[in-house]
Amino acid sequence: MTQVLKGVRVVDLGTMITAPLAAMMLADLGADVIKVEHPEGGDPFRSFRGGHYSPHFFAYNRGKRGIKLDLRQEEGREVLRKLIAQADILMENYRTGVMERLGFGRDALMELNPRLIHCSITGFGATGPYSARPAYDSVGLALSGISSLLLDPEKPQVCGPTIPDNATGMFACYGVLGALYERERTGKGRLVELNMMEAAISFIPDPFANYTLLGIDNNPLTRVASSHSFAVRCADGKLLAIHLSSQTKFWEGLLRAIGRMDLNEDPRFASREARIAHFTVLTEALAGVFVTRDRAAWMALLEAQDVPFAPIHSIPEVIEDPQVQHLESFRTLHHPTLGDLLTIRRPVRIDGGRDGSDLAAPMLGEHTDAVLAELGYSDSGIAAKRAAKII
């Protein structure tokens, strides 16, 4: 049994990524997570690619039970009060002031449940000149400085996966677990607050240290040049990544693998500092070498010399990778109406195990009746709430 949070109840009011990811991570550790959604459409991520069960929603909501609840109506808020009174953790990523307007400000929550750990996620913090602005991942990328490390300023194009969203959810889980541990000793609830802007900044500490300690003006090549990271195309058109870091043995191993020990005699590449200064030239030189053989041949040569490398996988290739399959990094969850769905296992093993809940992300309101029954509502009372469109 590796469900270390078994018995912990989480009420998830979140939408999109930040709060839902944090709640899902708690579910992966065994917590009973109840996702609360508005009866009309639910979490906006549900319809992100049409329908009511998009891949985006599935990705961030496994392991949860789902209920419908209209918090605009007093009867809906009364149900939420009962949920909160029995909860250990409340997760939400509303804009500043929404919880207060709903009647769930800090004082009201503490009156309902003094042991409650309330995690509030915002875009820019609860106060300040940006506090009322909406925020999404690309906004966090830009404001934190991450975009300046990814974009070509001559041809700017936002690209890649969500980073600030995911980082914020992970930091939220980290804060909640710390508060939960303290509560076991003190019995005291806590307000855990964080925002996407600061989470994104905290996710890239090294560029800020470069600047504040050495005055380095970071750009998209600053890190990769200092870490000797390369992406090359091979004769078969396939891509390969190499990361030599700072150890001389990996640089020398690369030269042996490609049969170019002469590069070590070139003054532009004779030392790590020289290779950093001439990184673009070195990249071009290596590109001319790797284009002469297929990727599989280069991988065998690099592995023989203990050089850190990897094929640059597409998403389907990741799932089929031999090491990924050996570790069983993915698992199949069965959904009662959608059938078998492949999902990512939590990456954390505890005593060798790592499976949390067997629940796939819920359909809208899938567990409403069961959860309300647990709160003491009768069948007739639940039916009345459904008729009144509260659930």
Side-chain angles (χ1 to χ4, degrees):
M1 176 63 70
T2 63
Q3 297 185 26
V4 292
L5 293 184
K6 188 176 179 64
V8 172
R9 173 166 283 191
V10 181
V11 176
D12 176 13
L13 298 180
T15 61
M16 308 298 274
I17 294 178
T18 54
L21 172 59
M24 185 179 75
M25 292 174 69
L26 297 172
D28 282 346
L29 291 173
D32 175 23
V33 178
I34 299 171
K35 184 175 180 70
V36 179
E37 299 179 77
H38 192 275
E40 298 175 6
D43 186 331
F45 245 18
R46 282 190 175 276
S47 58
F48 206 64
R49 291 193 182 276
H52 296 288
Y53 200 83
S54 77
H56 299 78
F57 180 81
F58 171 72
Y60 291 101
N61 290 283
R62 68 170 177 264
K64 304 176 184 181
R65 296 193 290 166
I67 71 168
K68 293 189 291 186
L69 200 57
D70 187 351
L71 299 181
R72 296 174 304 183
Q73 300 190 52
E74 174 55 30
E75 284 192 62
R77 294 192 291 272
E78 182 56 35
V79 174
L80 181 59
R81 291 187 191 101
K82 289 189 176 184
L83 272 174
I84 290 172
Q86 297 182 16
D88 297 287
I89 299 163
L90 173 65
M91 301 288 315
E92 51 92 3
N93 55 354
Y94 291 136
R95 285 205 209 184
T96 300
V98 171
M99 288 293 285
E100 288 74 12
R101 289 197 296 274
L102 290 171
F104 295 98
R106 176 67 176 165
D107 291 343
L109 290 175
M110 288 299 95
E111 185 175 343
L112 283 170
N113 185 348
R115 290 171 52 84
L116 183 71
I117 296 165
H118 170 205
C119 181
S120 174
I121 301 172
T122 58
F124 309 103
T127 60
Y130 303 164
S131 59
R133 292 183 183 178
Y136 288 103
D137 189 79
S138 296
V139 174
L141 281 172
L143 195 56
S144 66
I146 295 177
S147 285
S148 73
L149 307 178
L150 297 174
L151 299 179
D152 178 352
E154 300 304 317
K155 296 180 180 180
Q157 172 61 62
V158 177
C159 61
T162 52
I163 297 175
D165 272 336
N166 290 346
T168 305
M170 292 175 183
F171 278 123
C173 185
Y174 151 86
V176 164
L177 290 175
L180 188 65
Y181 175 75
E182 182 203 43
R183 197 195 67 179
E184 291 306 298
R185 293 180 287 117
T186 66
K188 181 180 180 180
R190 288 284 193 179
L191 172 61
V192 177
E193 296 179 282
L194 66 158
N195 63 77
M196 182 188 294
M197 181 187 70
E198 290 185 311
I201 291 170
S202 295
F203 199 65
I204 53 165
D206 45 328
F208 291 98
N210 280 339
Y211 176 70
T212 58
L213 271 66
L214 298 177
I216 294 174
D217 185 11
N218 297 266
N219 61 57
L221 292 183
T222 302
R223 182 195 67 85
V224 296
S226 63
S227 63
H228 285 27
S229 300
F230 306 95
V232 294
R233 188 178 300 277
C234 303
D236 53 4
K238 295 180 179 179
L239 300 177
L240 185 64
I242 300 168
H243 189 130
L244 303 180
S245 191
S246 59
Q247 297 187 60
T248 302
K249 68 175 184 177
F250 292 137
W251 164 249
E252 294 175 346
L254 171 65
L255 298 186
R256 287 193 295 270
I258 66 176
R260 290 295 306 273
M261 296 302 296
D262 61 293
L263 290 177
N264 217 21
E265 305 303 318
D266 189 318
R268 298 172 299 175
F269 313 137
S271 68
R272 179 169 178 268
E273 291 72 19
R275 292 191 291 274
I276 293 172
H278 299 94
F279 179 74
T280 301
V281 178
L282 176 57
T283 299
E284 292 170 354
L286 293 177
V289 174
F290 276 91
V291 77
T292 62
R293 297 191 188 198
D294 288 352
R295 185 169 72 178
W298 285 123
M299 288 169 63
L301 290 168
L302 292 168
E303 186 166 16
Q305 296 295 331
D306 195 34
V307 177
F309 75 92
I312 296 178
H313 279 331
S314 65
I315 297 301
E317 288 171 333
V318 173
I319 297 172
E320 298 301 322
D321 184 89
Q323 183 67 19
V324 171
Q325 292 200 340
H326 169 76
L327 294 174
E328 298 180 326
S329 304
F330 293 82
R331 67 182 295 215
T332 299
L333 298 178
H334 182 76
H335 193 278
T337 57
L338 299 176
D340 289 341
L341 304 170
L342 192 69
T343 189
I344 303 169
R345 272 194 165 96
R346 80 175 191 225
V348 178
R349 288 176 172 80
I350 300 174
D351 290 340
R354 56 173 171 169
D355 283 341
S357 171
D358 290 327
L359 294 172
M363 300 296 282
L364 181 58
E366 182 177 342
H367 306 96
T368 302
D369 288 12
V371 171
L372 264 62
E374 291 171 9
L375 294 175
Y377 289 98
S378 65
D379 290 347
S380 60
I382 294 171
K385 284 178 171 49
R386 182 167 289 108
K389 297 184 178 181
I390 295 164
I391 59 174

